[in-house]
Amino acid sequence: QKEVEQNSGPLSVPEGAIASLNCTYSDRGSQSFFWYRQYSGKSPELIMFIYSNGDKEDGRFTAQLNKASQYVSLLIRDSQPSDSATYLCAVRGGGFKTIFGAGTRLFVKA
Amino acid sequence: EPEVTQTPSHQVTQMGQEVILRCVPISNHLYFYWYRQILGQKVEFLVSFYNNEISEKSEIFDDQFSVERPDGSNFTLKIRSTKLEDSAMYFCASSVFDPGGADTQYFGPGTRLTVL
């Protein structure tokens, strides 16, 4: 059974701090890795995707991938109260099926 | 900005009834997906659809479920005989690129299905 694991949280950080979200996956054949943000009662919204080992930066967000350790992370710099949401890690192999983690709840305190 | 739309936003049905959930994907997208999320649980992949056929489906997507693209714009999910455990939020998503490459899935707002 292919799994994506995330700490459920909540992760609480003060405004302006760096939030660090982590994810591990079980399938070594996974090729694509995604971070989604989901506000309560809303649909997932893609923040970033990453395919290669290393870091990928987009504005305040940095995704990090380590395929040897089967580990993906998301850093949010200068966290804002509006970043408070559940962050979903999602993983895909070579096909069409995307497997989601249960998500980490993030609270950014003003 | 183009977006995926879904109707209805909330569907209440009796156990054993058939329901059809409707989605209008983004117009130039070629790949379509259904996911479900039971309250408080993970988003779960149900099925993907490309070129008028199912490209992949999960173990959840059994004979009770079917998908169809009846015209050039709509994409539907049918549940033939609903069970209590089908109660969930159902999300439609669409994307333009091959999933093996740079694929960004855009999710619709969801249909909340309640089975009584």
Side-chain angles (χ1 to χ4, degrees), chain A residues 47-100:
Chain A
I47 299 173
M48 293 192 68
F49 60 86
I50 186 168
Y51 301 107
S52 304
N53 276 329
D55 296 359
K56 180 180 178 183
E57 187 174 318
D58 184 0
R60 296 187 296 113
F61 300 96
T62 298
Q64 299 174 314
L65 174 61
N66 183 326
K67 289 187 178 180
S69 300
Q70 294 175 241
Y71 176 89
V72 194
S73 66
L74 179 71
L75 298 178
I76 307 174
R77 286 181 299 282
D78 188 24
S79 296
Q80 301 297 309
S82 57
D83 294 327
S84 297
T86 298
Y87 288 80
L88 310 178
C89 175
V91 173
R92 176 185 294 155
F96 295 84
K97 184 176 182 179
T98 301
I99 299 173
F100 283 78

Side-chain angles (χ1 to χ4, degrees), chain B residues 56-69:
Chain B
E56 192 163 355
K57 60 183 181 179
S58 73
E59 316 74 48
I60 302 167
F61 194 88
D62 60 21
D63 292 343
Q64 293 286 78
F65 292 89
S66 61
V67 289
E68 191 178 32
R69 188 154 162 82

Side-chain angles (χ1 to χ4, degrees), chain B residues 22-78:
Chain B
R22 291 183 166 80
C23 168
V24 179
I26 295 172
S27 62
N28 65 330
H29 285 189
L30 301 176
Y31 297 85
F32 314 116
Y33 308 83
W34 283 102
Y35 295 85
R36 79 172 185 191
Q37 187 174 30
I38 297 170
L39 188 63
Q41 298 188 25
K42 298 181 183 184
V43 174
E44 299 174 290
F45 171 86
L46 293 178
V47 67
S48 59
F49 191 86
Y50 169 69
N51 199 26
N52 278 323
E53 60 182 25
I54 290 173
S55 44
E56 192 163 355
K57 60 183 181 179
S58 73
E59 316 74 48
I60 302 167
F61 194 88
D62 60 21
D63 292 343
Q64 293 286 78
F65 292 89
S66 61
V67 289
E68 191 178 32
R69 188 154 162 82
D71 53 42
S73 59
N74 290 283
F75 178 50
T76 62
L77 174 69
K78 182 192 290 187

Side-chain angles (χ1 to χ4, degrees), chain A residues 19-36:
Chain A
S20 177
L21 304 161
N22 304 314
C23 168
T24 58
Y25 59 95
S26 63
D27 182 12
R28 283 201 170 273
S30 300
Q31 298 181 7
S32 310
F33 307 87
F34 306 85
W35 282 100
Y36 288 85

